[in-house]
Amino acid sequence: MPPPGRRLFLALALLLLLLPGLDALRTLGDGSGADAPDAAVELNASNFDSVLKESPLKFAVVEFFASWCPACRNYKPQYEKVAKLFNGPNAVHPGIILMARVDCAMKTNADLCGKFSVGHYPMLFWGPPHKFAFGRWDPKQDKDEIQLVDEWRTADHLLSYINKRIGSSFGLDDEKYENEDTLPRNASDPEEIARAIYDVEEATAQAFEIIFQNKMIKSNTQVPLIKFLQLLVVHHPSKRCRRGSAEMLVNFDDLWPSDPISLSSQETTILQQVDASKYYHICGKEVPHGYWIFCRGSKKGTRGFSCGLWVLFHSLSVRVGDGESNLAFIAICEFIQNFFICDECRNHFHEISSSVSVPFNKTRDLAMWLWRTHNKVNQRLMKEEKTLGTGDPRFPKITWPPKQLCPSCYLSYSRESNGTENIEWDEDEVFQFLVRYYGRTIASSKEATLSSSDDAASTYDIASSTNAVTVPVGAALAIAVASCAFGALACFWRTQQKNRKHRKGWN
């Protein structure tokens, strides 16, 4: 029989493996799994301001209702039909509109409903999310950015109102990637890059999910991952991702010990089965949220993850200091080489990066090399996508940046009859553009918001939330047990590691 300490280790680790099933058991026990969760986000006085302030979306519809009101209950299915188009991981048109609700029958919401002059039920309002936060509505102010919705009685009426407001033609029968007339036209709108901070977080979280799920952290890949995490801790454009990267570094040796030879086979097996992605959320608990904003393609399988990673790499390249540029180059190249599952992408990037013979001494050197590399990749993909018909018709690969974004970057431009472009660049202007576009704009877009409290920061992903204002007792208990168990396992593991090292020192 294993000693008591070892038995505790095994028990805690096994508990971590069993925790994902607790919520399913709770659902089966109370029968709550029969109904699909609401698409509209339930807000209340405690989270109304923080959720709307931190929303990455451009528009919001907020319904004020009363749960005792028969007309409100009858209207709910109509509101949900529209909400399902825009909210949740399965939304047809995500990243555009937040559909939310506030129950004025709850006493805690009385002041909130009063601020919006709710005089009958239901009342629907339209406006930018951040204007709702800490705001109010006065029927006497005609020019208020928060507007009373006057067409709402059926789902068709409400969607017609939305289409008029944003110039879209959405339909209740739309399927994903249809009617994409409100996709960001980032080739001609430099302000769209500010919204890319959410896609950078999404891409970062998905990259680490792939690493965890495919168990890619091995003895020969630990150092490259640590280097990349160190780069993210200091220079990731999102504060929440910097915080999550730091936490992962602090606990790295707990889950991926540098001395696995000293482990028993039983300990090794358990550690291999623990899925770190369930306990380490590198960019917050709600990320990845399952949709793209700046990087969303017009058809399935285009842009998305690859776009988000390119934006991350460009942002890192302009944020590092002169003395860090070559270290950042090595960290990015080794990350791609060790953790990209796409063989062709990895090999092409390795081929390009291997041709670098002189270390990068300046931020500009790294930023400009990555810019040239990205354009080389785009040139290759242009030909492939044209031949195979696999490109995104709304976002074809182009030489970047286009003139619309940076006219001063071009000294001369001509195109041959076969489509070949001849461009003479002003590289000083290109570098200044890269710093503005990928550095200042992204970093300033939500940095103030993301630096707020952890509780507030964890609520920004409301478009994929589903009626999660109150946490059921069973779920809360599961979370508490998970936290305690993981903390105890980490503490015990660190003690075991120290004891081993101590014993070795005396041997």
Side-chain angles (χ1 to χ4, degrees):
M1 178 178 291
R6 187 64 57 83
R7 290 201 301 271
L8 173 61
F9 170 84
L10 296 175
L12 291 170
L14 287 171
L15 177 58
L16 288 174
L17 295 175
L18 292 172
L19 279 172
L22 292 180
D23 193 55
L25 291 173
R26 181 181 59 81
T27 300
L28 288 172
D30 61 15
S32 61
D35 298 325
D38 292 342
V41 179
E42 295 278 359
L43 300 178
N44 57 37
S46 65
N47 66 3
F48 185 88
D49 291 331
S50 61
V51 167
L52 288 161
K53 176 185 175 184
E54 296 167 15
S55 171
L57 310 186
K58 286 188 173 181
F59 310 103
V61 176
V62 181
E63 177 198 7
F64 289 87
F65 72 103
S67 51
W68 51 258
C69 166
C72 297
R73 291 198 294 269
N74 293 336
Y75 179 64
K76 182 178 179 180
Q78 300 295 318
Y79 194 71
E80 278 291 301
K81 284 182 182 179
V82 180
K84 287 176 181 177
L85 292 176
F86 303 108
N87 283 16
N90 297 317
V92 177
H93 304 293
I96 303 171
I97 301 170
L98 167 65
M99 304 286 293
R101 311 175 80 222
V102 176
D103 185 1
C104 294
M106 296 176 61
K107 291 182 179 180
T108 53
N109 293 335
D111 290 341
L112 174 60
C113 297
K115 286 170 60 178
F116 287 86
S117 305
V118 177
H120 59 82
Y121 304 119
M123 285 182 74
L124 277 66
F125 295 92
W126 166 274
H130 67 277
K131 290 295 180 180
F132 282 95
F134 308 104
R136 59 179 60 248
W137 179 75
D138 186 342
K140 297 177 182 178
Q141 294 181 353
D142 296 333
K143 297 182 179 180
D144 197 329
E145 289 191 72
I146 298 176
Q147 298 289 321
L148 181 66
V149 178
D150 53 9
E151 301 175 44
W152 57 267
R153 293 189 178 278
T154 66
D156 286 313
H157 287 160
L158 179 56
L159 190 56
S160 175
Y161 176 89
I162 290 172
N163 283 332
K164 290 177 184 176
R165 296 302 306 229
I166 63 177
S168 56
S169 57
F170 297 137
L172 293 174
D173 297 327
D174 284 353
E175 296 182 1
K176 274 194 173 183
Y177 304 99
E178 292 182 348
N179 256 337
E180 296 295 350
D181 51 3
T182 58
L183 282 167
R185 288 168 171 78
N186 57 320
S188 58
D189 184 1
E191 293 183 3
E192 284 293 340
I193 190 64
R195 287 153 58 82
I197 186 67
Y198 302 99
D199 291 347
V200 171
E201 292 181 333
E202 184 81 1
T204 305
Q206 285 197 17
F208 277 85
E209 276 199 343
I210 291 170
I211 291 170
F212 293 148
Q213 289 169 4
N214 289 278
K215 303 189 184 304
M216 301 173 75
I217 305 176
K218 306 179 186 302
S219 58
N220 63 322
T221 62
Q222 287 185 359
V223 172
L225 186 59
I226 289 172
K227 288 180 183 178
F228 192 69
L229 283 169
Q230 289 171 334
L231 178 63
L232 298 186
V233 167
V234 182
H235 295 298
H236 198 290
S238 163
K239 186 170 184 177
R240 73 173 75 230
C241 296
R242 295 198 296 272
R243 185 188 300 121
S245 301
E247 182 183 354
M248 192 174 295
L249 269 178
V250 168
N251 294 284
F252 196 90
D253 199 48
D254 295 336
L255 280 180
W256 304 288
S258 57
D259 185 21
I261 298 176
S262 62
L263 303 182
S264 70
S265 59
Q266 197 171 25
E267 288 172 329
T268 302
T269 301
I270 290 176
L271 281 176
Q272 289 174 345
Q273 291 176 345
V274 173
D275 185 357
S277 65
K278 292 183 173 66
Y279 311 106
Y280 283 107
H281 308 281
I282 194 166
C283 292
K285 294 179 181 179
E286 284 73 33
V287 186
H289 41 58
Y291 63 86
W292 305 93
I293 299 178
F294 173 81
C295 285
R296 192 181 188 213
S298 66
K299 68 177 188 178
K300 188 175 182 180
T302 60
R303 305 187 80 224
F305 181 57
S306 60
C307 166
L309 280 181
W310 272 116
V311 176
L312 171 62
F313 293 152
H314 281 297
S315 182
L316 292 172
S317 76
V318 299
R319 289 169 66 90
V320 298
D322 287 342
E324 305 169 283
S325 53
N326 203 60
L327 294 174
F329 167 72
I330 294 171
I332 291 172
C333 291
E334 289 185 352
F335 179 79
I336 293 173
Q337 184 63 28
N338 287 281
F339 299 107
F340 262 37
I341 292 183
C342 172
D343 286 338
E344 185 177 359
C345 308
R346 183 176 64 246
N347 293 336
H348 277 297
F349 194 89
H350 180 67
E351 182 182 341
I352 296 173
S353 61
S354 297
S355 65
V356 176
S357 57
V358 180
F360 297 124
N361 296 318
K362 299 285 186 181
T363 304
R364 173 184 169 127
D365 298 338
L366 175 59
M368 295 301 288
W369 175 83
L370 192 64
W371 164 69
R372 294 188 193 96
T373 298
H374 197 167
N375 270 332
K376 286 180 182 178
V377 172
N378 278 355
Q379 290 290 337
R380 177 176 58 82
L381 292 177
M382 274 186 216
K383 298 175 183 178
E384 292 181 3
E385 291 179 354
K386 184 177 181 180
T387 303
L388 300 173
T390 55
D392 189 322
R394 284 284 299 276
F395 300 101
K397 296 293 186 294
I398 59 173
T399 301
W400 198 90
K403 271 193 171 183
Q404 301 100 304
L405 274 180
C406 186
S408 62
C409 293
Y410 288 73
L411 292 175
S412 65
Y413 176 87
S414 63
R415 182 189 291 269
E416 298 178 10
S417 57
N418 63 0
T420 302
E421 295 177 308
N422 298 308
I423 303 173
E424 183 182 0
W425 298 99
D426 185 332
E427 295 200 350
D428 289 334
E429 287 294 320
V430 172
F431 176 61
Q432 292 304 318
F433 168 79
L434 294 173
V435 172
R436 289 193 306 271
Y437 196 78
Y438 287 117
R440 298 173 194 148
T441 307
I442 292 181
S444 63
S445 60
K446 280 289 178 181
E447 193 64 26
T449 299
L450 296 180
S451 63
S452 58
S453 68
D454 291 344
D455 290 340
S458 66
T459 60
Y460 94 86
D461 180 33
I462 32 66
S464 63
S465 301
T466 49
N467 198 16
V469 173
T470 57
V471 180
V473 174
L477 180 60
I479 293 169
V481 172
S483 300
C484 293
F486 194 70
L489 176 59
C491 181
F492 175 76
W493 187 258
R494 282 192 292 270
T495 302
Q496 293 291 94
Q497 292 293 94
K498 290 176 181 177
N499 289 341
R500 288 191 183 99
K501 292 175 183 177
H502 181 72
R503 289 195 297 270
K504 287 180 181 178
W506 284 98
N507 290 338

